[in-house]
């Protein structure tokens, strides 16, 4: 079979994919190349040479491979092998190509992916740095903060291990604490990923040198439909969207935010439950962590239904080193103290109980706590040591 057109090459690739047990074959845009894609994400690329008498097959590797000097040499096969008896030229070409791929390319591809898994797995020093970063969280060093590793399904067939942090409360891993774990890990110089509606924080060493585009979109895994937002720093798929254009817009927004944080030299542009002018204040972050660790949701988590779950928000008050801890409830998006006449009686009781709970939690040496009609007023009475 002589692949004179991209359509001919695609037809050949489909037959080869069936013989190799791959998931599908598809054209790679307008490049003239065709990709054979496996269910686990591995990909092979077929290209016809100029004379159309031979086909070059390349094992596609993740971008990280080049940084580690890992490569797989492409192979070239005849596009017009001699057919066997009762075999058409098209069947002969597909059989011949599949045999060469199976014998000459797939073993090298498997070896390369295994090497890449080994070099991209979290190193002991990374895990130790993560443990040190969260050592101040409640319950450490033997408490509910867990640092471990978990498999992450990256694109192009690379399933590797990634660092993972979580805070476990009475009822399991806590979503409320996850953003603050991520903040602490970023302050230790690690890259973090938080999947939508997840209590786990994935972390990894950021790439050396000036990073390129961090967030991109990729076709969802075979058992899902749509487009995934992928964090290239950790390999984690953050969320799936059905619309490609919408997914690209989310990725662009995430890249802009990452660039802004990098240029501002801050770990977090914002943190749920904290007004933006308190994010860089370590003592107020610790107040937010205290509330979150007790099961109170920080206001601003995008995946929390605040019509059911009240959130807390900490914002500066008039006094020096004083802030107000307010209880909030969406969909109004404003402070709703129990004294407001339109609030049902059961909500007033709920509000009062939360205020008492906040006060109990935050009463500690170095903090003065007072219950006010619109929230808890917290004053840091122990000034920081002068450097």
């Amino acid at each position: 079979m002589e692949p004179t057109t991209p359509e001919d090459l695609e037809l050949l690739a489909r037959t080869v994919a069936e013989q190799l047990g791959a998931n599908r074959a598809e054209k790679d845009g307008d490049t003239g190349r065709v990709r054979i894609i496996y269910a686990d994400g591995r990909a092979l690329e077929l290209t016809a040479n100029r004379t159309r008498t031979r086909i070059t097959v390349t094992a596609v590797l993740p971008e990280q491979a080049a940084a580690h000097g890992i490569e797989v040499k492409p192979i070239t096969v005849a596009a017009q092998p001699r057919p066997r008896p009762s075999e058409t030229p098209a069947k002969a070409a597909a059989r011949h190509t599949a045999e060469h791929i199976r014998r000459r390319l797939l073993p090298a591809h498997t070896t390369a992916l295994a090497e890449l898994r080994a070099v991209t797995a979290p190193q002991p020093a990374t895990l130790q740095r993560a443990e040190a970063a969260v050592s101040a969280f409640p319950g450490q060093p033997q408490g509910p903060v867990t640092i471990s590793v978990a498999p992450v399904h990256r694109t192009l067939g690379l399933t590797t291990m990634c660092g993972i942090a979580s805070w476990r409360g009475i009822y399991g891993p806590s979503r409320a604490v996850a953003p603050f774990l991520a903040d602490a890990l970023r302050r230790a110089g690690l890259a973090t990923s938080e999947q939508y509606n997840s209590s786990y924080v994935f972390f990894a060493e950021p790439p050396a040198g000036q990073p390129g585009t961090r967030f991109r979109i990729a076709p969802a895994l075979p058992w899902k439909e749509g487009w995934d937002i992928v964090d290239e720093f950790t390999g984690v798929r953050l969320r799936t969207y059905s619309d490609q254009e919408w997914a690209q817009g989310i990725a662009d927004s995430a890249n802009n935010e990452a660039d802004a944080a990098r240029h501002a030299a801050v770990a977090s542009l914002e943190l749920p439950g904290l007004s933006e002018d308190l994010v860089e204040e370590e003592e107020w972050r610790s107040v937010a962590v205290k509330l979150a660790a007790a099961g109170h949701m920080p206001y601003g988590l995008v995946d929390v239904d605040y019509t059911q779950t009240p959130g807390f928000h900490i914002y500066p008050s008039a006094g020096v080193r004083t802030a107000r801890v307010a209880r909030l409830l969406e969909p109004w998006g404003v402070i709703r103290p129990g004294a407001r006449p339109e609030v049902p009686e059961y909500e007033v009781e709920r509000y009062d109980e939360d205020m008492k709970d906040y006060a109990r939690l935050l009463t500690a040496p170095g903090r003065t706590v007072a219950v006010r009609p619109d929230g808890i007023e917290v004053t840091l009475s122990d000034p920081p040591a002068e450097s």
Side-chain angles (χ1 to χ4, degrees):
M1 175 185 179
E2 184 178 343
T4 57
T5 67
E7 288 71 24
D8 291 339
L9 187 62
E10 184 180 11
L11 183 61
L12 171 65
R14 286 178 181 172
T15 309
V16 172
E18 291 176 3
Q19 296 192 23
L20 294 175
N23 185 259
R24 66 185 187 277
E26 59 186 32
K27 289 190 290 187
D28 184 15
D30 297 326
T31 63
R33 299 185 292 265
V34 179
R35 285 195 172 189
I36 293 175
I37 301 173
Y38 287 80
D40 62 4
R42 286 177 298 149
L44 308 173
E45 197 169 75
L46 276 64
T47 309
N49 68 5
R50 293 182 180 179
T51 61
R52 308 287 179 179
T53 60
R54 302 185 71 80
I55 297 170
T56 300
V57 188
T58 305
V60 184
L61 292 174
E63 292 180 2
Q64 306 99 310
H68 296 283
I70 298 173
E71 62 178 353
V72 177
K73 293 183 178 180
I75 65 171
T76 302
V77 299
Q80 298 171 293
R82 178 177 298 177
R84 292 174 179 173
S86 72
E87 192 178 48
T88 65
K91 288 185 177 179
R95 184 240 331 138
H96 180 77
T97 303
E99 287 175 350
H100 278 266
I101 290 174
R102 196 178 291 114
R103 186 178 72 252
R104 298 166 54 196
L105 191 61
L106 291 185
H109 194 192
T110 300
T111 299
L113 292 175
E115 292 176 0
L116 191 54
R117 276 193 293 271
V119 299
T120 55
Q123 301 301 306
T126 300
L127 299 178
Q128 291 169 5
R129 187 143 55 96
E131 289 174 350
V134 299
S135 61
F137 276 68
Q140 284 289 62
Q142 284 83 32
V145 180
T146 301
I147 300 293
S148 59
V149 294
V152 171
H153 186 101
R154 297 180 181 236
T155 56
L156 303 177
L158 178 63
T159 299
T160 188
M161 304 302 289
C162 186
I164 185 172
S166 64
W167 193 95
R168 180 172 291 274
I170 297 175
Y171 302 106
S174 172
R175 176 71 183 107
V177 184
F180 302 102
L181 283 176
D183 174 70
L185 293 168
R186 288 193 294 271
R187 291 177 191 278
L190 298 168
T192 67
S193 295
E194 294 178 74
Q195 289 177 325
Y196 179 77
N197 202 22
S198 171
S199 304
Y200 301 101
V201 178
F202 294 86
F203 62 88
E205 295 287 349
Q210 182 72 18
T213 300
R214 175 169 182 175
F215 299 98
R216 64 178 184 82
I217 65 171
L221 297 175
W223 52 87
K224 298 180 0 183
E225 293 183 357
W227 295 84
D228 286 340
I229 307 294
V230 180
D231 184 348
E232 288 291 335
F233 287 11
T234 61
V236 173
R237 293 169 179 260
L238 304 177
R239 191 173 181 181
T240 303
Y241 294 89
S242 59
D243 184 81
Q244 182 179 0
E245 186 175 349
W246 182 262
Q248 186 61 60
I250 299 295
D252 292 342
S253 177
N255 281 316
N256 291 337
E257 184 175 337
D259 288 342
R262 180 165 54 86
H263 289 307
V266 298
S268 306
L269 288 175
E270 58 183 27
L271 279 174
L274 282 170
S275 64
E276 61 181 15
D277 43 0
L278 297 182
V279 170
E280 287 301 305
E281 300 291 334
E282 182 178 351
E283 290 163 304
W284 294 117
R285 289 200 309 275
S286 70
V287 170
V289 169
K290 183 75 173 177
L291 292 168
H296 298 286
M297 282 293 177
Y299 179 77
L301 283 178
V302 296
D303 47 8
V304 171
D305 180 4
Y306 288 103
T307 62
Q308 301 295 325
T309 305
F312 68 84
H313 184 63
I314 306 173
Y315 63 99
S317 192
V320 178
R321 304 186 75 237
T322 300
R324 195 64 56 88
V325 181
R327 176 189 184 274
L328 295 96
L329 190 64
E330 287 269 322
W332 299 272
V334 295
I335 301 168
R336 296 194 71 217
R340 291 180 67 170
E342 68 271 24
V343 178
E345 184 62 31
Y346 74 90
E347 280 291 351
V348 174
E349 295 176 2
R350 225 174 135 196
Y351 175 87
D352 291 340
E353 286 302 316
D354 281 341
M355 290 298 98
K356 293 176 184 178
D357 198 10
Y358 288 0
R360 283 193 299 268
L361 286 167
L362 299 180
T363 299
R367 287 198 293 258
T368 300
V369 179
V371 179
R372 305 296 186 201
D374 58 348
I376 299 295
E377 188 174 76
V378 180
T379 302
L380 301 176
S381 54
D382 186 14
E386 295 183 4
S387 57

